[in-house]
């Protein structure tokens, strides 16, 4: 925590700078340079052989503005589910990758302003994504995700807006159901040579379910400087403070049916909760010289987590048990350097990108009993004390070449090496030294071809490989109940193919269609839940295949229709045995999962449709969100039924002498349907279900004004 606090003065300075630097004549803005993997300088995403969706973060939105899932509903292939539980992160999966995660985000790579929000072991968090200062969110799906490294079944990147002279400042406040309220302030603009975008927000709620109250404060700052023509330096600061978020835990099918707002009895008995604090800073320097572009990025941060679990004292009597309180304190950071060349080969445009990056994380993990005598839900005796380190060193290269008037090629490869090390400092009778280490390495090539079938039509095909290491949490416990890390776990490897078509016209209509398949070997899955902790194993071969459709259709000058539909079949290709189901707990897997069984956490179909109408100062929207049944276990003996929800939005804007004022309102689940919002895959207590809220409302006010 001490190291975390050291970053706060610097971040406070970042907030103060825009107000203290006087305005002046600003130099010309440097054009945005795309030198990240899978994107090409001066080439539209429309001409790349990949499924890539850019979602503008609407300043005219009518939601709470506090949760990333609000902005990701219209992306094909992506599933973002809020759990009505801010002690747990958003459930995020892309084409089925990451759907099994019971904690955080895994299998999907996360970045904010080019800085990784996924740690080297593949574990990521969405909680510090700040929507108030965001301009857009890019979502990459398919084979080219592998160019981002370990655990890249898909990529989600949030980009903050670049402040420009004359940009308005913004104050936004909302109030809604369950005493939910948010307050946010954004300062954006340009002061002399500095472009600034500083956004601070505070969100609080009593929670729809009992024992789910939470508070989340967030600050994000992006300060841009142009020291000379062709040069750009961005300084990035981010703070998250989420203290004492209550965890209502999952419910059984009967509990969810009779009283979906209840909390599990153990949640109140043990006062299950989590507190998170994170602070980080980064810098990105870009130098653009005619045909060459250099980019250097460096970042560092500190994150602390304290979580109280509902593990009974009897389970902690085992000398190998690590206790019912998790306490993490660690730092992380990394560097990324890349060089791009824009030229020609055989008279045709060519771009080359080569680079390398290294990331590291050091974490002090301690565990304590969650009881003292008869008092439950309090920190007791030390039961775990270890120092964990994980780091990666990657090298990558990418080339884009216009083969001919109608053909282009994009190809690349990445070599990754990930190293885990754990040093055990809790060595007592019955609990031996659990120290260990494990290295993983893989090379992931990918290539794609685009055919320009017409001025408004592109056809493409791509193929590649990917890999996913176990995270530190998955290495933490052995499936056989023995002491030490699960160092026998292998990385999951995948073979990915995609065929697609993209169409657009001058009126702004867009249509994207993609067929995809991903075959995975050594899939990582839950082996069992014993004494409140999960262990993992490699289960063999799986397949994820399906179809995505994205459609955007303007209707006249004031209306717009948006549609995103996904059909996904995620299944087991080779049968295996599991410990999930009854009897539980178990150490030796004995329940057969047959080939062809559906992977849990993945609905077969999902749909998002939105109609928007903007007559004059008014803005009206109708939204439909639907998903088919979602399996909750490997055995398929529990599933959440499908559902369809209807949401409404309305807002009106009034001009004032000091800037426009906007009043907005939103109603979610207008028809007041009962449904399961998310599932906890393979929960050992069969509490698989997290119910979604009934009809809810949000009312908000936003004021924008021009600073002097």
């Amino acid at each position: 925590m001490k190291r975390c606090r050291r970053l706060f003065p610097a971040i406070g300075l970042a907030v103060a700078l825009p107000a203290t630097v006087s305005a002046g004549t600003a130099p010309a803005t440097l054009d945005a340079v795309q030198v990240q993997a899978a994107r090409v300088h001066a080439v539209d995403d429309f001409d790349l052989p990949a499924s890539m969706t850019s979602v503008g973060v609407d300043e005219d939105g009518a939601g709470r503005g506090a949760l990333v899932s609000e902005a990701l509903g219209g992306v094909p292939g992506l599933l973002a589910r809020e759990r009505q539980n801010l002690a747990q992160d958003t459930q995020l999966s892309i084409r089925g990758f990451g759907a099994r995660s019971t904690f955080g985000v895994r299998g999907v790579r996360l970045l904010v302003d080019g800085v990784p929000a996924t740690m080297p072991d593949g574990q990521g968090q969405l909680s510090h994504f700040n929507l108030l200062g965001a301009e857009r969110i890019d979502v990459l799906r398919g084979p080219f995700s592998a160019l981002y490294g370990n655990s890249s079944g898909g990529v989600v990147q949030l980009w903050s807006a670049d402040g420009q002279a004359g940009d308005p400042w913004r104050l936004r406040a909302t109030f809604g159901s369950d005493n939910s309220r948010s307050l946010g302030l954004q300062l954006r603009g340009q002061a002399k040579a500095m472009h600034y975008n500083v956004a601070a927000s505070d969100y609080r709620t009593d929670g729809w379910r009992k024992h789910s109250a939470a508070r989340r404060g967030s600050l994000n700052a992006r300060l841009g400087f142009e020291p000379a023509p062709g040069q750009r330096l961005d300084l990035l600061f981010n703070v998250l403070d989420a203290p004492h978020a209550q965890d209502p835990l999952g419910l059984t099918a009967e509990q969810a049916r009779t009283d979906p707002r209840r909390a599990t009895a153990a949640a109140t008995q043990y006062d299950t909760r989590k507190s998170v604090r994170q602070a980080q800073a980064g810098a990105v320097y870009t130098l653009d010289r005619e045909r060459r572009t250099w980019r250097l990025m460096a970042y560092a941060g500190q994150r602390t987590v304290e979580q109280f679990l509902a593990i009974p004292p009897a389970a902690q009597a085992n000398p190998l048990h690590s206790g019912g309180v998790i306490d993490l304190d660690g730092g992380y950071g990394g560097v990324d350097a890349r060089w791009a060349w824009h030229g020609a080969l055989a008279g045709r445009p060519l771009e080359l990108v080569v680079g390398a990056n290294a990331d590291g994380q050091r974490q002090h993990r301690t565990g304590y009993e969650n009881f003292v005598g008869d008092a439950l839900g309090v920190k007791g005796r030390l039961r775990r004390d270890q120092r964990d380190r994980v780091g990666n060193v990657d090298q990558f290269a990418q080339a884009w070449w216009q083969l001919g008037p109608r053909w282009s090629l994009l190809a690349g490869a990445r070599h990754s090496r990930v190293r885990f090390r754990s040093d055990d400092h809790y060595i007592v009778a019955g609990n031996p030294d659990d120290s260990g280490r494990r290295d993983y390495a893989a090379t992931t090539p990918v290539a794609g071809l685009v055919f320009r079938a017409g001025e408004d039509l592109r056809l493409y095909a791509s193929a590649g490989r990917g890999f996913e290491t176990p995270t530190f949490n998955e290495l933490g416990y052995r499936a056989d109940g023995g002491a030490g890390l699960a160092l026998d776990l292998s990385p999951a490897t995948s073979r990915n193919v995609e065929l697609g078509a993209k169409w657009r016209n001058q009126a702004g209509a867009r249509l994207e269609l993609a067929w995809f398949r991903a075959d995975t070997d050594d899939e990582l899955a839950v082996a069992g839940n014993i004494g409140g902790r999960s262990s993992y194993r490699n289960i063999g071969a799986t397949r994820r295949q399906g179809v995505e459709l994205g459609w955007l259709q303007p209707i006249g000058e004031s209306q717009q229709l948006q549609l995103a539909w996904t059909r996904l079949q995620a299944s087991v290709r080779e049968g295996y045995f599991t410990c999930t189901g009854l009897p539980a707990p178990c150490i030796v897997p004995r329940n057969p999962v047959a080939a062809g069984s559906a992977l849990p956490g993945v609905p077969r179909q999902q749909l998002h449709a939105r109609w928007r109408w903007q007559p004059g100062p008014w803005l009206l929207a109708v939204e439909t969100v639907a998903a088919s049944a979602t399996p909750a276990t490997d055995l398929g003996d529990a599933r959440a039924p499908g559902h369809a929800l209807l949401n409404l939005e309305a807002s009106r804007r009034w001009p004032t002498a000091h800037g426009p004022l906007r009043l907005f309102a939103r109603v979610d689940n207008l028809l007041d349907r009962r449904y399961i919002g998310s599932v906890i895959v393979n929960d050992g207590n069969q509490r698989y279900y997290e119910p979604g809220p009934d009809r809810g409302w949000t009312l908000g006010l936003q004021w924008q004004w021009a600073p002097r």
Side-chain angles (χ1 to χ4, degrees):
M1 184 70 77
K2 291 181 180 179
R3 280 181 281 177
C4 187
R5 290 179 180 143
R6 291 172 189 167
L7 289 174
F8 279 79
I11 294 170
L13 177 62
V15 178
L17 276 173
T20 58
V21 180
S22 60
T25 304
T29 301
L30 175 67
D31 292 336
V33 178
Q34 296 180 354
V35 294
Q36 24 323 24
R39 307 200 71 160
V40 182
H41 176 76
V43 177
D44 196 314
D45 294 342
F46 184 69
D47 291 304
L48 298 180
S51 294
M52 188 177 295
T53 302
S54 288
V55 180
V57 178
D58 194 353
E59 292 185 354
D60 291 331
R64 292 166 290 182
L67 305 174
V68 177
S69 59
E70 297 178 19
L72 293 176
V75 179
L78 183 146
L79 184 63
R81 286 179 160 174
E82 288 306 326
R83 308 176 65 173
Q84 307 310 309
N85 177 1
L86 290 183
Q88 303 293 337
D89 214 339
T90 302
Q91 281 189 341
L92 182 71
S93 63
I94 293 180
R95 294 182 176 178
F97 287 98
R100 287 174 174 264
S101 178
T102 57
F103 46 85
V105 178
R106 53 163 287 206
V108 176
R109 203 77 179 169
L110 307 175
L111 300 100
V112 178
D113 290 324
V115 173
T118 297
M119 295 295 102
D121 66 344
Q123 184 80 25
Q125 306 290 334
L126 281 167
S127 52
H128 69 287
F129 277 42
N130 188 308
L131 286 181
L132 188 64
E135 179 182 46
R136 73 179 195 276
I137 300 176
D138 292 343
V139 180
L140 175 64
R141 310 175 299 282
F144 278 95
S145 302
L147 289 181
Y148 287 80
N150 175 30
S151 296
S152 297
V155 181
V156 176
Q157 297 197 70
L158 181 142
W159 296 98
S160 302
D162 186 26
Q164 301 294 333
D167 282 348
W169 291 5
R170 178 165 55 132
L171 180 66
R172 191 178 193 275
T174 70
F175 183 78
S177 301
D178 310 311
N179 197 26
S180 297
R181 60 271 192 206
S182 68
L183 180 65
L185 174 65
Q186 181 190 26
L187 310 180
R188 193 177 79 188
Q190 187 172 351
K192 291 188 175 180
M194 182 179 70
H195 304 261
Y196 62 88
N197 180 0
V198 180
S201 61
D202 183 81
Y203 174 69
R204 306 182 184 211
T205 180
D206 290 346
W208 180 73
R209 292 179 60 194
K210 296 178 181 178
H211 196 74
S212 62
R215 179 171 69 86
R216 178 179 291 179
S218 175
L219 181 141
N220 193 80
R222 176 182 175 183
L223 309 177
F225 302 89
E226 296 163 3
Q231 297 185 46
R232 172 80 184 213
L233 174 65
D234 283 297
L235 302 180
L236 310 168
F237 305 92
N238 183 277
V239 172
L240 168 71
D241 186 21
H244 203 79
Q246 294 178 325
D247 187 349
L249 304 179
L251 300 179
T252 65
E254 179 63 19
Q255 290 170 337
R257 185 184 65 82
T258 57
D259 184 9
R261 300 189 71 158
R262 71 189 297 176
T264 303
T268 53
Q269 183 181 15
Y270 290 90
D271 191 16
T272 50
R273 61 197 186 272
K274 183 166 75 171
S275 299
V276 179
R277 198 179 197 192
Q278 176 176 303
Q280 69 179 39
V284 180
Y285 174 73
T286 304
L287 174 62
D288 199 7
R289 286 286 185 266
E290 295 181 355
R291 295 184 176 183
R292 295 173 178 82
T293 301
W294 290 264
R295 177 183 179 270
L296 178 64
M297 182 272 293
Y299 70 100
Q302 188 76 14
R303 182 179 177 88
T304 62
V305 179
E306 184 181 59
Q307 184 172 13
F308 287 75
L309 306 175
I311 300 177
Q316 299 174 60
N318 183 341
L320 299 179
H321 203 284
S322 58
V325 179
I326 299 172
D327 195 337
L328 304 175
D329 186 358
Y332 58 89
V335 294
D336 181 292
R338 55 191 66 188
W339 170 83
W341 178 75
H342 325 287
L345 177 65
R348 300 288 183 182
L350 172 71
E351 177 181 290
L352 298 176
V353 180
V354 295
N357 71 278
D359 304 276
Q361 179 184 10
R362 294 175 178 265
Q363 182 172 269
H364 185 200
R365 178 188 292 265
T366 52
Y368 300 86
E369 294 175 344
N370 58 355
F371 63 92
V372 176
D374 294 331
L376 303 178
V378 295
K379 184 181 287 188
R381 293 184 304 162
L382 180 71
R383 296 298 300 273
R384 186 176 192 172
D385 184 2
Q386 67 188 56
R387 303 276 180 168
D388 296 333
R389 287 184 288 173
V390 58
N392 71 278
V393 178
D394 291 17
Q395 307 85 35
F396 54 87
Q398 176 182 289
W400 177 86
W401 186 31
Q402 184 76 48
L403 296 172
R406 306 180 72 177
W407 294 91
S408 62
L409 172 70
L410 180 63
R414 188 181 190 105
H415 178 76
S416 302
R417 180 175 295 275
V418 185
R419 295 180 172 177
F420 293 84
R421 178 174 176 176
S422 179
D423 295 318
D424 188 5
H425 297 279
Y426 182 77
I427 304 170
V428 297
N431 191 327
D433 189 347
D434 298 338
S435 301
R437 60 184 302 166
R438 178 70 191 270
D439 292 356
Y440 299 95
T443 299
T444 52
V446 62
L449 196 63
V450 176
F451 174 63
R452 185 186 179 104
E455 190 65 28
D456 300 325
L457 178 63
R458 303 290 185 271
L459 306 176
Y460 69 89
S462 60
R465 299 181 64 89
F467 90 115
E468 178 181 355
T469 69
T471 67
F472 245 127
N473 285 323
E474 293 161 347
L475 290 169
Y477 306 106
R478 287 170 44 174
D480 62 5
L485 302 179
L487 300 179
D488 59 332
L489 290 179
S490 299
T493 58
S494 60
R495 301 175 301 281
N496 307 290
V497 294
E498 179 177 330
L499 301 174
K502 305 178 183 181
W503 172 85
R504 66 183 182 185
N505 65 15
Q506 294 182 349
R510 298 178 68 99
L511 181 65
E512 298 184 1
L513 181 66
W515 172 88
F516 58 88
R517 173 181 288 179
D519 288 336
T520 301
D521 295 324
D522 291 324
E523 179 89 24
L524 289 160
V526 174
N529 288 284
I530 304 173
R533 65 189 189 188
S534 296
S535 59
Y536 292 80
R537 61 189 293 254
N538 297 105
I539 62 173
T542 60
R543 171 171 290 171
R544 298 168 174 86
Q545 65 179 359
V547 179
E548 294 173 354
L549 173 68
W551 179 33
L552 180 64
Q553 180 63 57
I555 304 173
E557 296 183 356
S558 60
Q559 298 182 61
Q560 184 183 86
L561 179 65
Q562 182 183 9
L563 178 69
W565 171 73
T566 305
R567 181 178 178 85
L568 172 60
Q569 182 179 4
S571 59
V572 175
R573 290 191 292 135
E574 296 177 0
Y576 63 96
F577 289 89
T578 180
C579 266
T580 58
L582 295 174
C586 77
I587 293 177
V588 179
R590 59 175 63 94
N591 298 323
V593 178
S597 300
L599 293 178
V602 183
R604 179 66 63 92
Q605 295 192 71
Q606 61 187 87
L607 172 72
H608 181 277
R610 180 180 173 88
W611 171 77
R612 171 173 165 158
W613 182 34
Q614 193 166 4
W618 287 90
L619 192 153
L620 307 172
V622 180
E623 185 178 85
T624 297
V625 180
S628 60
T630 304
T633 68
D634 289 337
L635 297 173
D637 55 355
R639 63 180 53 229
H643 63 268
L645 307 177
L646 182 66
N647 310 318
L648 297 181
E649 289 183 9
S651 67
R652 193 186 191 285
R653 183 184 297 265
W654 291 271
T656 73
H658 301 286
L661 184 69
R662 186 172 68 93
L663 178 67
F664 57 89
R666 178 179 170 95
V667 179
D668 289 289
N669 192 6
L670 178 69
L671 303 180
D672 203 22
R673 301 292 191 188
R674 277 198 173 185
Y675 70 104
I676 300 298
S678 56
V679 297
I680 304 172
V681 171
N682 289 331
D683 182 78
N685 297 299
Q686 300 185 355
R687 297 193 295 249
Y688 307 118
Y689 306 106
E690 296 178 304
D694 52 19
R695 183 188 298 118
W697 57 273
T698 300
L699 184 66
L701 190 67
Q702 178 175 283
W703 177 40
Q704 290 181 313
W705 74 96
R708 295 181 178 178

